[in-house]
Amino acid sequence: MGAEADGAFLQHVTSAKLKLQGGSPVALNWCIDSVRKGGRVSVVGAFGPLFSAVKIGDAMNKGLTIRTNQCPVKRQWPRLFEHVKNGILKPSAVVTHRLPLDEIAEGYHMMASKLDGCIKPLVIPTGVH
Amino acid sequence: MPAIEHPNDAIVKVTCAAICGSDLHLYHGMMPDLRVGHIFGHEFVGTVHEVGPSVRNLKPGDRVMVPFNIFCGSRYFCARGFFSNCHNVNPNATAVGGIYGYSHTCGGYDGGQAEFVRVPLADVGPTRIPEWMEEEDAVLLTDVCPTGYFAAQLGEIREGDVVVVFGAGAVGLFAASSSWLMGAGRVIVVDHIDYRLEFARTFAHAETRRTPTSSAPTSASRQWARKPTARSSSTSPAPS
């Protein structure tokens, strides 16, 4: 789910270029179209606060439950700490790049352009390690 | 160098920070009221450098992880667990609370892609990193991993459910792997970037589907959900 999900040219122009929409509804509309009737859609991450052309009519007529929020991180910690401690989740497995803080501009470029297999870049201030 | 501005502030010396997919919204100019000089970064861990006079839970030298939410921890919404919707820390918006390094719309708090960062409400958000936890796991527990897990929670997954995750970025990968923990019967990750779909297969043990970049895959994805065995999968089998 993403505010800038690629997909439809019209949506890209209205949101990323003209800023008429607060975020791209592309992925959310795919979700609404994909789930079964009575299904559940969850929306996390970042979504712009402005108008967005979400297919609310389809969602309503299919009887969907749409649940949303930015994550309340600290509420998840007790359970996630246990999962990490027990080796059930290994968050750092998605780290693909480690850059000095001075080279962070390169990190943004790489992340934005999906270069070099980038999934999750870390930045480390000079002299820390 | 940030300074203590309130008695419950702490100054944290950052030892590791991450770039988040949502930082790209700032980078691409999608966030309103992003001001020149604002420091990005809402995923970071570090060492406490200095604390304000009212801070009781932290002391200089502590290794801390700081959740991306800034929240008061005590009033109406926080008392009900809605830490990301705190009404007490961000006069610029009614919907969202405070977020480090995420524009003045989210409170204008400078972020952690820096050497030092001011951490407000230092007794509320940060936690000392447990001895056994690696730093790189800790930094990913400040947003991306909990957010993916949260997505799976919000989906109220019941045993055997088919879960489709749109987007194989880090959040999507954690949403997919968390779905297995909650009893999903099938997990399908959809994206248009091949190396990320490969990651979804190996890291999250998910089935994957590739979308074209310029047209909606809705009829196809409907078909996947409706006929679980109708299409051959180009993916690794789900773990039992």
Side-chain angles (χ1 to χ4, degrees), chain B residues 92-228:
Chain B
N92 303 335
T94 49
V96 70
I99 303 177
Y100 290 96
Y102 216 71
S103 85
H104 277 65
T105 304
C106 298
Y109 297 95
D110 275 331
Q113 289 165 5
E115 292 173 280
F116 291 91
V117 58
R118 181 177 74 95
V119 172
L121 296 153
D123 279 335
V124 180
T127 294
R128 273 191 295 276
I129 300 175
E131 289 290 324
W132 50 266
M133 190 183 285
E134 292 173 28
E135 181 170 69
E136 291 190 357
D137 287 326
V139 71
L140 295 204
L141 283 167
T142 61
D143 178 358
V144 56
C145 176
T147 293
Y149 189 84
F150 185 55
Q153 276 184 322
L154 290 183
E156 295 171 12
I157 296 165
R158 293 164 203 158
E159 196 171 333
D161 274 355
V162 179
V163 176
V164 184
V165 177
F166 284 88
V171 171
L173 294 170
F174 285 118
S177 51
S178 302
S179 297
W180 292 122
L181 302 180
M182 300 176 195
R186 293 180 73 195
V187 179
I188 305 165
V189 176
V190 182
D191 204 309
H192 63 86
I193 300 169
D194 288 324
Y195 77 81
R196 293 193 162 188
L197 292 174
E198 174 65 29
F199 218 94
R201 290 191 289 271
T202 54
F203 171 79
H205 310 288
E207 299 171 50
T208 56
R209 295 293 187 277
R210 191 183 191 286
T211 67
T213 52
S214 58
S215 67
T218 48
S219 61
S221 56
R222 247 187 247 127
Q223 206 174 10
W224 307 332
R226 200 179 284 154
K227 302 177 190 168

Side-chain angles (χ1 to χ4, degrees), chain A residues 47-116:
Chain A
F47 215 94
L50 308 175
F51 171 79
S52 186
V54 174
K55 292 181 173 183
I56 192 67
D58 282 7
M60 186 272 167
N61 288 320
K62 287 176 77 172
L64 304 187
T65 301
I66 300 180
R67 298 193 67 196
T68 65
N69 207 349
Q70 294 184 3
C71 178
V73 169
K74 204 168 182 181
R75 206 169 86 193
Q76 320 287 21
W77 275 356
R79 191 173 303 182
L80 287 174
F81 279 24
E82 286 301 308
H83 284 332
V84 173
K85 191 174 190 179
N86 295 330
I88 290 166
L89 282 176
K90 182 64 180 165
S92 58
V94 303
V95 173
T96 50
H97 295 78
R98 294 162 184 83
L99 303 162
L101 182 61
D102 293 345
E103 293 172 26
I104 192 168
E106 180 59 31
Y108 269 87
H109 172 59
M110 187 168 60
M111 181 82 159
S113 303
K114 314 289 187 284
L115 304 175
D116 195 32

